Amino acid sequence: MSAESPAAPGQFDRRRQQFRAWRGTRPFWAGLFVMISGLPIMYFPYAHLKLGGLTIAMATTAGAGSLIIGVLLVVLGITLWFQKHVRTFAGVAAIMLGLVSLPVSNFGGFIVGFLFALLGGAMAVAWAPGVPPAEEPAKQDTTGEGGAPEGADYDTTLLRPVNPVGEPNDLSGTSPVNGANGRHSAG
């Protein structure tokens, strides 16, 4: 296949639909946010920012702790994508690591990593797998004559009650059929 030859017709759409189906069966956005949260938490303690001729080193004594927290958050994000049944554990762990990153790694990657960890962890805990749509039974024709629903008179001003055959329509509670023997049950 050369660079000029186009992909098979509809292949891009098919791959996009496959990705959408895969993404819909797991906490995709929660995993992405948790992975993104690990990047600034890992990066800033080892970065040397330059402002003009001035170099700012953000290295702290807790640089190793920042690296561990960042790597764990990235691993938790990947876990949310591929092991969706541990979403509650991974979400709570991401929230806890985000909170720990505040004092350990430059205020949680200058608050950016902290906020992504909280948001992704909360989304992971809140995510629930969708219920597949139930098959609808075949609809039966419930219309009477002329397309009117059963139980309705064809004159729109008069409606007749719809009762099963042989069942009385006494709702007062005084019918001998319901065991009241002609008395109200409250008396």
Side-chain angles (χ1 to χ4, degrees), residues 32-57:
L32 184 66
F33 284 179
V34 170
M35 278 192 280
I36 289 172
S37 74
L39 299 178
I41 291 173
M42 280 190 294
Y43 176 74
F44 287 127
Y46 295 103
H48 294 287
L49 304 173
K50 292 190 179 206
L51 297 173
L54 181 64
T55 301
I56 301 172

Side-chain angles (χ1 to χ4, degrees), residues 52-162:
L54 181 64
T55 301
I56 301 172
M58 301 302 294
T60 63
T61 57
S66 299
L67 183 63
I68 290 170
I69 290 172
V71 168
L72 284 175
L73 284 169
V74 171
V75 168
L76 285 172
I78 293 170
T79 301
L80 284 170
W81 278 2
F82 296 106
Q83 300 291 325
K84 60 185 173 184
H85 59 277
V86 296
R87 70 185 186 283
T88 304
F89 167 75
V92 170
I95 291 170
M96 296 301 287
L97 287 171
L99 289 171
V100 168
S101 73
L102 281 173
V104 171
S105 64
N106 299 325
F107 296 110
F110 295 117
I111 306 295
V112 174
F114 166 70
L115 291 177
F116 272 109
L118 287 184
L119 183 63
M123 288 171 65
V125 170
W127 185 82
V131 178
E135 294 291 328
E136 292 185 18
K139 293 186 177 185
Q140 298 175 357
D141 187 22
T142 59
T143 58
E145 296 176 18
E150 285 184 17
D153 283 334
Y154 307 111
D155 181 10
T156 58
T157 58
L158 298 174
L159 294 177
R160 65 173 184 240
V162 178

Side-chain angles (χ1 to χ4, degrees), residues 155-181:
D155 181 10
T156 58
T157 58
L158 298 174
L159 294 177
R160 65 173 184 240
V162 178
N163 291 329
V165 178
E167 191 173 304
N169 193 17
D170 183 17
L171 301 177
S172 67
T174 61
S175 172
V177 174
N178 60 17
N181 293 333

